[in-house]
């Protein structure tokens, strides 16, 4: 049996308009980080690509190297969305919904941003500044002054840069992690803190606390999208691949490959009765 057999399986419809195609390329699992496999995959993909195809979603793309992803985008002229825009632009929306379910105010809550990429740190902090007065930032120490001035000019808020984060971890009600080099013990975070883990590391601590928010989920049915081949629950990356930077209500929080409604997530993992 051959490994490669390119075929269009189904059109994805929204309001009777084709917005994407589900295609099959390989009949057997392939390691696309292998150059020979990648070349065969791309050759088959280009057979199916038409002039309207400008975005691409590959199941398991998160396991591909950055070099492989760049090669795929360069050769196919299609953009692979990773869901970053959707995750970052909805952080405050999700936090507000969670605290609304908890019936608590954000006003006096403290939030910690852990990020080692300057521009992403700016985006996150600017976004959450609309809801928080007390923001701590770590991970971009080389650019602290630049980030501080940017946030001050853009929002009027002053950032806090701690000398030692280890001693004050229990202060934070919300933590956003966007680095794979976490330099503190996650078990020291208070047990009912809301933790977003948007890095590739698998956050676990010695209390087996693993229910961190890793992504958001959307429902095809509510988006008005019709397909028989894809589960109706989809991730931010597939959402962006089909709908770009559109704004839609988030239906689920994804943690450990499980989809939870916001209410279920709060009741299971954040409220006192459901602490980790």
């Amino acid at each position: 049996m051959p490994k490669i057999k390119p075929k269009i399986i189904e059109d994805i419809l929204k309001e009777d308009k084709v917005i994407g195609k589900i295609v099959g390329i390989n009949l057997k699992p392939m390691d696309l980080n292998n150059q020979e496999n990648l070349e065969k995959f791309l050759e088959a993909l280009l057979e199916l690509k038409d002039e309207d195809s400008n975005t691409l979603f590959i199941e398991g793309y998160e396991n591909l190297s950055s070099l492989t992803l760049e090669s795929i985008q360069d050769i196919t002229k299609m953009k692979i969305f990773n869901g970053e825009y959707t995750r970052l632009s909805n952080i405050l929306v999700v936090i507000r919904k969670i605290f609304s379910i908890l019936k608590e105010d954000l006003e006096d809550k403290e939030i910690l941003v852990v990020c080692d990429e300057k521009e992403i740190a700016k985006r996150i902090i600017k976004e959450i500044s609309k809801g928080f007065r007390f923001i701590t930032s770590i991970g971009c120490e080389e650019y602290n002054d630049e980030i501080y001035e940017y946030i001050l000019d853009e929002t009027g808020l002053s950032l806090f840069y701690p000398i030692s984060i280890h001693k004050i971890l229990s202060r934070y009600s919300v933590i956003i992690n966007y680095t794979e080099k976490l330099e503190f013990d996650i078990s020291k975070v208070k047990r009912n803190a809301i933790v977003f883990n948007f890095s590739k590391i698998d956050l676990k601590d010695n209390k087996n606390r693993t229910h961190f928010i890793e992504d958001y989920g959307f429902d095809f049915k509510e988006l008005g999208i019709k397909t028989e081949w894809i589960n109706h629950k989809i991730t931010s990356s597939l959402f962006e691949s089909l709908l770009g930077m559109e704004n839609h209500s988030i239906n689920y929080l994804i943690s450990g490959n499980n989809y939870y409604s916001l209410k279920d997530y709060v009741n299971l993992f954040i409220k006192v009765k459901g602490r980790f």
Side-chain angles (χ1 to χ4, degrees):
M1 181 179 292
K3 278 188 178 181
I4 298 288
K5 189 175 182 181
K7 180 181 180 181
I8 296 176
I9 298 173
E10 181 191 34
D11 288 335
I12 302 173
L13 302 176
K14 179 177 172 62
E15 297 174 353
D16 296 324
K17 179 183 177 182
V18 176
I19 62 169
K21 298 178 184 294
I22 298 174
V23 303
I25 301 292
N26 45 306
L27 298 173
K28 298 179 181 179
M30 294 178 66
D31 177 11
L32 296 185
N33 289 316
N34 175 282
Q35 185 61 34
E36 183 180 352
N37 286 343
L38 179 61
E39 289 175 2
K40 292 178 180 178
F41 178 87
L42 290 175
E43 182 181 354
L45 179 61
L46 289 171
E47 288 181 25
L48 302 177
K49 181 180 181 295
D50 59 33
E51 60 183 14
D52 295 323
S53 302
N54 50 34
T55 64
L56 177 66
F57 177 83
I58 301 175
E59 189 173 6
Y61 80 94
E62 60 274 6
N63 297 318
L64 300 179
S65 70
S66 57
L67 185 60
T68 298
L69 291 172
E70 288 175 11
S71 295
I72 293 172
Q73 292 182 105
D74 287 344
I75 293 171
T76 64
K77 307 304 179 187
M78 289 191 282
K79 181 172 177 56
I80 298 175
F81 286 92
N82 61 11
E84 181 179 282
Y85 172 85
T86 300
R87 282 191 290 273
L88 297 188
S89 62
N90 283 284
I91 287 177
L92 187 57
V93 173
V94 170
I95 292 172
R96 280 177 166 156
K97 287 183 177 180
I98 289 175
F99 277 99
S100 175
I101 295 169
L102 290 169
K103 295 182 171 59
E104 296 181 16
D105 294 326
L106 290 183
E107 188 175 349
D108 296 320
K109 305 295 183 183
E110 296 192 48
I111 185 167
L112 171 64
V113 176
V114 187
C115 183
D116 55 6
E117 297 184 44
K118 178 181 66 174
E119 295 305 320
I120 292 178
K122 287 180 180 179
R123 286 170 59 187
I124 293 173
I125 296 168
K126 183 177 178 180
E127 183 66 32
I128 62 176
S129 68
K130 304 166 190 173
F132 288 87
R133 295 187 300 162
F134 307 107
I135 301 174
T136 299
S137 176
I138 62 172
C140 265
E141 282 70 23
E142 182 181 354
Y143 302 103
N144 277 357
D145 289 344
E146 179 182 338
I147 295 172
Y148 183 94
E149 292 298 330
Y150 172 81
I151 295 300
L152 186 63
D153 289 343
E154 292 288 319
T155 71
L157 284 181
S158 297
L159 297 177
F160 173 56
Y161 295 121
I163 296 174
S164 175
I165 192 63
H166 308 278
K167 297 179 180 179
I168 57 174
L169 278 173
S170 60
R171 289 167 41 168
Y172 298 102
S173 299
V174 183
I175 296 175
I176 301 168
N177 177 51
Y178 214 102
T179 178
E180 296 178 29
K181 303 172 184 176
L182 199 62
E183 296 181 355
F184 59 80
D185 184 355
I186 196 69
S187 66
K188 302 300 181 184
V189 173
K190 62 183 177 182
R191 295 177 63 82
N192 62 337
I194 301 162
V195 180
F196 294 81
N197 180 29
F198 291 153
S199 71
K200 291 184 179 180
I201 61 171
D202 185 14
L203 279 189
K204 289 183 180 178
D205 65 15
N206 54 21
K207 297 172 186 173
N208 293 319
R209 176 169 42 186
T210 59
H211 293 288
F212 305 117
I213 300 170
E214 298 164 349
D215 199 357
Y216 313 136
F218 298 85
D219 195 312
F220 262 176
K221 295 176 182 177
E222 292 199 13
L223 295 172
I225 295 175
K226 296 179 181 179
T227 172
E228 298 295 328
W229 280 80
I230 302 177
N231 188 310
H232 69 93
K233 296 177 181 178
I234 63 169
T235 63
S236 296
S237 55
L238 182 50
F239 170 87
E240 283 186 11
S241 298
L242 291 170
L243 299 176
M245 307 309 178
E246 289 188 17
N247 290 317
H248 287 275
S249 296
I250 292 166
N251 304 108
Y252 309 99
L253 300 179
I254 301 175
S255 179
N257 295 321
N258 294 313
Y259 288 70
Y260 301 93
S261 70
L262 273 72
K263 186 174 181 180
D264 283 347
Y265 184 88
V266 170
N267 288 333
L268 286 168
F269 309 123
I270 304 299
K271 280 190 174 178
V272 172
K273 66 178 182 180
R275 287 178 174 176
F276 316 107

mmCIF file with all atom_site columns, all heavy atoms in Angstrom, residues 110-123:
data_model
loop_
_atom_site.group_PDB
_atom_site.id
_atom_site.type_symbol
_atom_site.label_atom_id
_atom_site.label_alt_id
_atom_site.label_comp_id
_atom_site.label_asym_id
_atom_site.label_entity_id
_atom_site.label_seq_id
_atom_site.pdbx_PDB_ins_code
_atom_site.Cartn_x
_atom_site.Cartn_y
_atom_site.Cartn_z
_atom_site.occupancy
_atom_site.B_iso_or_equiv
_atom_site.pdbx_formal_charge
_atom_site.auth_seq_id
_atom_site.auth_comp_id
_atom_site.auth_asym_id
_atom_site.auth_atom_id
_atom_site.pdbx_PDB_model_num
ATOM 1   N N   . GLU A 1 110 ? -4.447 40.297 41.705 1.00 0.00 ? 110 GLU A N   1
ATOM 2   C CA  . GLU A 1 110 ? -3.117 40.484 41.132 1.00 0.00 ? 110 GLU A CA  1
ATOM 3   C C   . GLU A 1 110 ? -2.860 39.405 40.090 1.00 0.00 ? 110 GLU A C   1
ATOM 4   O O   . GLU A 1 110 ? -3.263 38.251 40.239 1.00 0.00 ? 110 GLU A O   1
ATOM 5   C CB  . GLU A 1 110 ? -2.046 40.425 42.224 1.00 0.00 ? 110 GLU A CB  1
ATOM 6   C CG  . GLU A 1 110 ? -2.162 41.557 43.233 1.00 0.00 ? 110 GLU A CG  1
ATOM 7   C CD  . GLU A 1 110 ? -0.942 41.653 44.128 1.00 0.00 ? 110 GLU A CD  1
ATOM 8   O OE1 . GLU A 1 110 ? 0.189  41.623 43.605 1.00 0.00 ? 110 GLU A OE1 1
ATOM 9   O OE2 . GLU A 1 110 ? -1.121 41.760 45.344 1.00 0.00 ? 110 GLU A OE2 1
ATOM 10  N N   . ILE A 1 111 ? -2.174 39.791 39.002 1.00 0.00 ? 111 ILE A N   1
ATOM 11  C CA  . ILE A 1 111 ? -1.925 38.875 37.902 1.00 0.00 ? 111 ILE A CA  1
ATOM 12  C C   . ILE A 1 111 ? -0.438 38.857 37.576 1.00 0.00 ? 111 ILE A C   1
ATOM 13  O O   . ILE A 1 111 ? 0.236  39.892 37.617 1.00 0.00 ? 111 ILE A O   1
ATOM 14  C CB  . ILE A 1 111 ? -2.765 39.266 36.664 1.00 0.00 ? 111 ILE A CB  1
ATOM 15  C CG1 . ILE A 1 111 ? -2.595 38.243 35.537 1.00 0.00 ? 111 ILE A CG1 1
ATOM 16  C CG2 . ILE A 1 111 ? -2.425 40.665 36.183 1.00 0.00 ? 111 ILE A CG2 1
ATOM 17  C CD1 . ILE A 1 111 ? -3.619 38.401 34.418 1.00 0.00 ? 111 ILE A CD1 1
ATOM 18  N N   . LEU A 1 112 ? 0.068  37.675 37.266 1.00 0.00 ? 112 LEU A N   1
ATOM 19  C CA  . LEU A 1 112 ? 1.477  37.490 36.933 1.00 0.00 ? 112 LEU A CA  1
ATOM 20  C C   . LEU A 1 112 ? 1.594  37.048 35.483 1.00 0.00 ? 112 LEU A C   1
ATOM 21  O O   . LEU A 1 112 ? 0.963  36.073 35.068 1.00 0.00 ? 112 LEU A O   1
ATOM 22  C CB  . LEU A 1 112 ? 2.102  36.434 37.850 1.00 0.00 ? 112 LEU A CB  1
ATOM 23  C CG  . LEU A 1 112 ? 3.518  35.955 37.493 1.00 0.00 ? 112 LEU A CG  1
ATOM 24  C CD1 . LEU A 1 112 ? 4.524  37.101 37.610 1.00 0.00 ? 112 LEU A CD1 1
ATOM 25  C CD2 . LEU A 1 112 ? 3.921  34.784 38.389 1.00 0.00 ? 112 LEU A CD2 1
ATOM 26  N N   . VAL A 1 113 ? 2.416  37.757 34.707 1.00 0.00 ? 113 VAL A N   1
ATOM 27  C CA  . VAL A 1 113 ? 2.686  37.408 33.315 1.00 0.00 ? 113 VAL A CA  1
ATOM 28  C C   . VAL A 1 113 ? 4.114  36.885 33.223 1.00 0.00 ? 113 VAL A C   1
ATOM 29  O O   . VAL A 1 113 ? 5.064  37.579 33.598 1.00 0.00 ? 113 VAL A O   1
ATOM 30  C CB  . VAL A 1 113 ? 2.512  38.626 32.383 1.00 0.00 ? 113 VAL A CB  1
ATOM 31  C CG1 . VAL A 1 113 ? 2.886  38.259 30.944 1.00 0.00 ? 113 VAL A CG1 1
ATOM 32  C CG2 . VAL A 1 113 ? 1.085  39.148 32.447 1.00 0.00 ? 113 VAL A CG2 1
ATOM 33  N N   . VAL A 1 114 ? 4.251  35.657 32.733 1.00 0.00 ? 114 VAL A N   1
ATOM 34  C CA  . VAL A 1 114 ? 5.568  35.034 32.572 1.00 0.00 ? 114 VAL A CA  1
ATOM 35  C C   . VAL A 1 114 ? 5.797  34.838 31.081 1.00 0.00 ? 114 VAL A C   1
ATOM 36  O O   . VAL A 1 114 ? 5.155  33.997 30.448 1.00 0.00 ? 114 VAL A O   1
ATOM 37  C CB  . VAL A 1 114 ? 5.641  33.669 33.295 1.00 0.00 ? 114 VAL A CB  1
ATOM 38  C CG1 . VAL A 1 114 ? 7.075  33.136 33.263 1.00 0.00 ? 114 VAL A CG1 1
ATOM 39  C CG2 . VAL A 1 114 ? 5.131  33.779 34.726 1.00 0.00 ? 114 VAL A CG2 1
ATOM 40  N N   . CYS A 1 115 ? 6.697  35.625 30.508 1.00 0.00 ? 115 CYS A N   1
ATOM 41  C CA  . CYS A 1 115 ? 6.894  35.584 29.056 1.00 0.00 ? 115 CYS A CA  1
ATOM 42  C C   . CYS A 1 115 ? 8.318  36.016 28.732 1.00 0.00 ? 115 CYS A C   1
ATOM 43  O O   . CYS A 1 115 ? 8.810  37.004 29.296 1.00 0.00 ? 115 CYS A O   1
ATOM 44  C CB  . CYS A 1 115 ? 5.891  36.494 28.354 1.00 0.00 ? 115 CYS A CB  1
ATOM 45  S SG  . CYS A 1 115 ? 6.003  36.451 26.552 1.00 0.00 ? 115 CYS A SG  1
ATOM 46  N N   . ASP A 1 116 ? 8.985  35.296 27.833 1.00 0.00 ? 116 ASP A N   1
ATOM 47  C CA  . ASP A 1 116 ? 10.358 35.654 27.452 1.00 0.00 ? 116 ASP A CA  1
ATOM 48  C C   . ASP A 1 116 ? 10.439 36.191 26.024 1.00 0.00 ? 116 ASP A C   1
ATOM 49  O O   . ASP A 1 116 ? 11.521 36.275 25.452 1.00 0.00 ? 116 ASP A O   1
ATOM 50  C CB  . ASP A 1 116 ? 11.302 34.466 27.636 1.00 0.00 ? 116 ASP A CB  1
ATOM 51  C CG  . ASP A 1 116 ? 10.851 33.218 26.881 1.00 0.00 ? 116 ASP A CG  1
ATOM 52  O OD1 . ASP A 1 116 ? 9.866  33.317 26.117 1.00 0.00 ? 116 ASP A OD1 1
ATOM 53  O OD2 . ASP A 1 116 ? 11.464 32.158 27.077 1.00 0.00 ? 116 ASP A OD2 1
ATOM 54  N N   . GLU A 1 117 ? 9.291  36.541 25.437 1.00 0.00 ? 117 GLU A N   1
ATOM 55  C CA  . GLU A 1 117 ? 9.265  37.167 24.117 1.00 0.00 ? 117 GLU A CA  1
ATOM 56  C C   . GLU A 1 117 ? 8.697  38.571 24.255 1.00 0.00 ? 117 GLU A C   1
ATOM 57  O O   . GLU A 1 117 ? 7.538  38.747 24.605 1.00 0.00 ? 117 GLU A O   1
ATOM 58  C CB  . GLU A 1 117 ? 8.427  36.337 23.138 1.00 0.00 ? 117 GLU A CB  1
ATOM 59  C CG  . GLU A 1 117 ? 8.996  34.941 22.892 1.00 0.00 ? 117 GLU A CG  1
ATOM 60  C CD  . GLU A 1 117 ? 8.201  34.179 21.853 1.00 0.00 ? 117 GLU A CD  1
ATOM 61  O OE1 . GLU A 1 117 ? 7.848  34.787 20.814 1.00 0.00 ? 117 GLU A OE1 1
ATOM 62  O OE2 . GLU A 1 117 ? 7.926  32.987 22.075 1.00 0.00 ? 117 GLU A OE2 1
ATOM 63  N N   . LYS A 1 118 ? 9.515  39.552 23.956 1.00 0.00 ? 118 LYS A N   1
ATOM 64  C CA  . LYS A 1 118 ? 9.192  40.955 24.231 1.00 0.00 ? 118 LYS A CA  1
ATOM 65  C C   . LYS A 1 118 ? 7.856  41.393 23.639 1.00 0.00 ? 118 LYS A C   1
ATOM 66  O O   . LYS A 1 118 ? 7.010  41.957 24.348 1.00 0.00 ? 118 LYS A O   1
ATOM 67  C CB  . LYS A 1 118 ? 10.315 41.842 23.693 1.00 0.00 ? 118 LYS A CB  1
ATOM 68  C CG  . LYS A 1 118 ? 10.077 43.337 23.878 1.00 0.00 ? 118 LYS A CG  1
ATOM 69  C CD  . LYS A 1 118 ? 11.231 44.147 23.287 1.00 0.00 ? 118 LYS A CD  1
ATOM 70  C CE  . LYS A 1 118 ? 11.314 44.004 21.792 1.00 0.00 ? 118 LYS A CE  1
ATOM 71  N NZ  . LYS A 1 118 ? 12.335 44.880 21.175 1.00 0.00 ? 118 LYS A NZ  1
ATOM 72  N N   . GLU A 1 119 ? 7.657  41.163 22.355 1.00 0.00 ? 119 GLU A N   1
ATOM 73  C CA  . GLU A 1 119 ? 6.444  41.666 21.709 1.00 0.00 ? 119 GLU A CA  1
ATOM 74  C C   . GLU A 1 119 ? 5.189  40.959 22.221 1.00 0.00 ? 119 GLU A C   1
ATOM 75  O O   . GLU A 1 119 ? 4.133  41.579 22.356 1.00 0.00 ? 119 GLU A O   1
ATOM 76  C CB  . GLU A 1 119 ? 6.556  41.531 20.188 1.00 0.00 ? 119 GLU A CB  1
ATOM 77  C CG  . GLU A 1 119 ? 7.653  42.384 19.572 1.00 0.00 ? 119 GLU A CG  1
ATOM 78  C CD  . GLU A 1 119 ? 7.520  43.861 19.939 1.00 0.00 ? 119 GLU A CD  1
ATOM 79  O OE1 . GLU A 1 119 ? 6.381  44.372 19.962 1.00 0.00 ? 119 GLU A OE1 1
ATOM 80  O OE2 . GLU A 1 119 ? 8.552  44.497 20.206 1.00 0.00 ? 119 GLU A OE2 1
ATOM 81  N N   . ILE A 1 120 ? 5.302  39.667 22.492 1.00 0.00 ? 120 ILE A N   1
ATOM 82  C CA  . ILE A 1 120 ? 4.154  38.947 23.042 1.00 0.00 ? 120 ILE A CA  1
ATOM 83  C C   . ILE A 1 120 ? 3.850  39.443 24.443 1.00 0.00 ? 120 ILE A C   1
ATOM 84  O O   . ILE A 1 120 ? 2.681  39.604 24.826 1.00 0.00 ? 120 ILE A O   1
ATOM 85  C CB  . ILE A 1 120 ? 4.411  37.423 23.027 1.00 0.00 ? 120 ILE A CB  1
ATOM 86  C CG1 . ILE A 1 120 ? 4.448  36.929 21.589 1.00 0.00 ? 120 ILE A CG1 1
ATOM 87  C CG2 . ILE A 1 120 ? 3.327  36.686 23.819 1.00 0.00 ? 120 ILE A CG2 1
ATOM 88  C CD1 . ILE A 1 120 ? 4.730  35.456 21.434 1.00 0.00 ? 120 ILE A CD1 1
ATOM 89  N N   . ALA A 1 121 ? 4.899  39.692 25.233 1.00 0.00 ? 121 ALA A N   1
ATOM 90  C CA  . ALA A 1 121 ? 4.698  40.230 26.587 1.00 0.00 ? 121 ALA A CA  1
ATOM 91  C C   . ALA A 1 121 ? 3.950  41.555 26.521 1.00 0.00 ? 121 ALA A C   1
ATOM 92  O O   . ALA A 1 121 ? 3.012  41.800 27.293 1.00 0.00 ? 121 ALA A O   1
ATOM 93  C CB  . ALA A 1 121 ? 6.040  40.412 27.288 1.00 0.00 ? 121 ALA A CB  1
ATOM 94  N N   . LYS A 1 122 ? 4.314  42.407 25.582 1.00 0.00 ? 122 LYS A N   1
ATOM 95  C CA  . LYS A 1 122 ? 3.625  43.693 25.425 1.00 0.00 ? 122 LYS A CA  1
ATOM 96  C C   . LYS A 1 122 ? 2.149  43.476 25.100 1.00 0.00 ? 122 LYS A C   1
ATOM 97  O O   . LYS A 1 122 ? 1.271  44.153 25.660 1.00 0.00 ? 122 LYS A O   1
ATOM 98  C CB  . LYS A 1 122 ? 4.281  44.510 24.298 1.00 0.00 ? 122 LYS A CB  1
ATOM 99  C CG  . LYS A 1 122 ? 5.631  45.104 24.632 1.00 0.00 ? 122 LYS A CG  1
ATOM 100 C CD  . LYS A 1 122 ? 6.145  45.880 23.423 1.00 0.00 ? 122 LYS A CD  1
ATOM 101 C CE  . LYS A 1 122 ? 7.492  46.511 23.677 1.00 0.00 ? 122 LYS A CE  1
ATOM 102 N NZ  . LYS A 1 122 ? 7.996  47.238 22.486 1.00 0.00 ? 122 LYS A NZ  1
ATOM 103 N N   . ARG A 1 123 ? 1.883  42.545 24.184 1.00 0.00 ? 123 ARG A N   1
ATOM 104 C CA  . ARG A 1 123 ? 0.495  42.290 23.761 1.00 0.00 ? 123 ARG A CA  1
ATOM 105 C C   . ARG A 1 123 ? -0.343 41.777 24.927 1.00 0.00 ? 123 ARG A C   1
ATOM 106 O O   . ARG A 1 123 ? -1.480 42.216 25.141 1.00 0.00 ? 123 ARG A O   1
ATOM 107 C CB  . ARG A 1 123 ? 0.487  41.289 22.618 1.00 0.00 ? 123 ARG A CB  1
ATOM 108 C CG  . ARG A 1 123 ? 0.943  41.861 21.298 1.00 0.00 ? 123 ARG A CG  1
ATOM 109 C CD  . ARG A 1 123 ? 1.160  40.773 20.259 1.00 0.00 ? 123 ARG A CD  1
ATOM 110 N NE  . ARG A 1 123 ? -0.049 40.007 20.004 1.00 0.00 ? 123 ARG A NE  1
ATOM 111 C CZ  . ARG A 1 123 ? -0.074 38.914 19.245 1.00 0.00 ? 123 ARG A CZ  1
ATOM 112 N NH1 . ARG A 1 123 ? 1.034  38.474 18.674 1.00 0.00 ? 123 ARG A NH1 1
ATOM 113 N NH2 . ARG A 1 123 ? -1.213 38.273 19.041 1.00 0.00 ? 123 ARG A NH2 1
#
